[in-house]
Amino acid sequence: MPATEPVLILGIESSCDDTAAAVLRDGRVLSNVVAGQEAHRIWGGVVPELASRAHQEQIVPVVNQALREAGVEASDLDAIAYTNGPGLIGALLVGACFARSMAQALGKPLVAVNHLEAHVLAHFIQDRSDQPVPAFPFLNLTVSGGHTQFILVQAADRMEVIGTTLDDAAGEAFDKGAKVLGLPYPGGPLIDRMARGGDARRFALPSPSLPGLDLSFSGIKTAFANLVRKETARDPGFVAHELPSLCASLQQCIVTELLTRLRRAAREHRLKQVGISGGVSANSALREGAMALAKEEGWDLFLPPLPYCTDNAAMVAMAGRFAFRAGRHASLDTVPYARG
Ligand code: KG4
Ligand code: ZN
């Protein structure tokens, strides 16, 4: 098709515990449907087998709803994009098999998308017509439940990891901290909400301070668990009395670790175009801290609107659009991968 014609693309996301589908016309979102999975709440984390089953149940209604809300027929689509990895392999297979069958039945091109690249390219989703988008090259902090990485984004298909967590992802630190407090999974959004009434300086937690651009969250997690255990042994009502300040202290510690390294990465690479994306980029303290830092450092800061921070298919369609335009189509024997 001519390069100037808008691309109508369906995105499908099923890498973890959200079944999602979205329709984009170029960068503009026509629909964005996300069905979460309640089944994992009581287990304190995602149970892979339950995730695959829930995807299987939800994928047809979710895709139908996305097409209906966009007001388009499947036959109108120019391409179908889906997440091919990394993620839970059983969950990925549901989306991949569905996308492949649909593309084959309709005779449409198929585009395989890397989930982490999709989080980065979420910055190009146009929710409003006047929304600024980053210019290449830019620095991105991708911060989610599975990953925490600094990425030098040279182009949509040229991304280099320049720093990463050496142990847990930041989202995992939020979720595990929440579990220690007896909160259900995923705990990140609950910590964010409860921290609002708390004092972030009430409990001191260690700062890992690794040299370079790598990060670490396991020391923070262990110190937090030890603090809660020790104080609860002395006073069984400790968590109930101190919940907001416990949440605020943990959140502050994680956010500080992220933002000090982000500043270092931007300075070292002399970049003023800076983005943060992935589930944890929905965190209000991280967003506020990043905005203050952007002012100090003179950055153009990009934070996706909240629906495009956590897992969604609009970002998959967006990444798919870049790949489709570049002629990078998937073949029918493309196989999903768990890591990468
Ligand atoms: O990007 P995402 O939806 O899935 C992955 O690719 O991992 O990220 C999910 C992570 C979870 O750890 C969740 O607790 C965290 O993002 N999260 C938050 C917030 N919203 C989601 N963490 C802190 N504050 C939030 N508001
Ligand atoms: Zn994700």
Side-chain angles (χ1 to χ4, degrees):
M1 67 188 297
T4 48
E5 255 182 53
V7 174
L8 186 69
I9 190 156
L10 169 71
I12 296 173
E13 157 63 33
S14 73
S15 65
C16 191
D17 60 339
D18 291 299
T19 317
V23 179
L24 263 68
R25 179 169 281 120
D26 272 339
R28 225 164 54 75
V29 181
L30 303 186
S31 66
N32 184 42
V33 179
V34 184
Q37 301 181 353
E38 281 297 309
H40 311 289
R41 268 178 86 81
I42 55 163
W43 299 102
V46 179
V47 183
E49 181 67 28
L50 296 180
S52 310
R53 287 188 200 196
H55 285 306
Q56 193 70 36
E57 280 169 23
Q58 293 175 338
I59 196 150
V60 171
V62 163
V63 168
N64 282 340
Q65 189 182 339
L67 291 170
R68 200 170 50 245
E69 286 182 10
V72 302
E73 300 290 332
S75 55
D76 300 333
L77 296 169
D78 294 308
I80 296 165
Y82 69 99
T83 304
N84 198 39
L88 302 171
I89 199 72
L92 289 163
L93 281 167
V94 177
C97 289
F98 181 89
R100 184 191 300 187
S101 311
M102 188 171 173
Q104 203 170 22
L106 294 165
K108 303 285 181 188
L110 187 63
V111 182
V113 166
N114 175 293
H115 183 82
L116 295 169
E117 290 181 7
H119 272 304
V120 173
L121 298 172
H123 294 302
F124 293 88
I125 297 171
Q126 294 276 298
D127 230 12
R128 311 185 315 261
S129 54
D130 60 341
Q131 201 167 315
V133 298
F136 298 112
F138 67 95
L139 171 68
N140 199 68
L141 166 60
T142 309
V143 64
S144 71
H147 296 85
T148 302
Q149 299 180 329
F150 292 109
I151 313 217
L152 191 54
V153 189
Q154 301 281 10
D157 61 349
R158 211 146 39 89
M159 301 190 194
E160 186 193 340
V161 179
I162 55 169
T164 184
T165 178
L166 300 180
D167 39 60
D168 295 340
E172 242 177 308
F174 271 108
D175 296 338
K176 289 180 179 167
K179 196 171 174 183
V180 166
L181 298 175
L183 301 173
Y185 175 85
L190 297 172
I191 295 215
D192 188 348
R193 205 173 322 135
M194 289 177 187
R196 275 172 212 156
D199 173 5
R201 283 164 307 178
R202 177 103 174 83
F203 301 104
L205 292 166
S207 146
S209 301
L210 295 178
L213 299 180
D214 288 335
L215 311 106
S216 165
F217 294 98
S218 71
I220 298 173
K221 178 189 71 182
T222 307
F224 188 72
N226 287 343
L227 165 79
V228 171
R229 202 171 307 122
K230 200 171 105 218
E231 294 298 328
T232 304
R234 283 217 294 248
D235 167 15
F238 171 70
V239 169
H241 297 145
E242 296 285 1
L243 192 56
S245 295
L246 283 165
C247 291
S249 301
L250 177 64
Q251 174 173 272
Q252 186 60 43
C253 188
I254 296 171
V255 166
T256 303
E257 170 74 352
L258 292 170
L259 291 180
T260 48
R261 268 344 106 78
L262 183 61
R263 170 168 29 206
R264 188 180 291 171
R267 284 185 179 176
E268 270 182 21
H269 289 266
R270 298 174 190 284
L271 288 168
K272 297 276 185 190
Q273 299 268 305
V274 177
I276 309 180
S277 60
V280 179
S281 69
N283 182 266
S284 56
L286 180 60
R287 292 173 88 89
E288 282 159 26
M291 283 190 260
L293 191 55
K295 235 183 217 164
E296 271 173 46
E297 299 286 307
W299 294 344
D300 289 329
L301 177 69
F302 300 91
L303 296 166
L306 295 187
Y308 312 124
C309 291
T310 43
D311 285 349
N312 66 89
M315 68 181 194
V316 176
M318 190 70 240
R321 174 208 173 254
F322 277 106
F324 177 75
R325 282 264 193 236
R328 283 183 278 121
H329 297 181
S331 64
L332 289 177
D333 56 6
T334 302
V335 181
Y337 48 90
R339 292 173 188 280

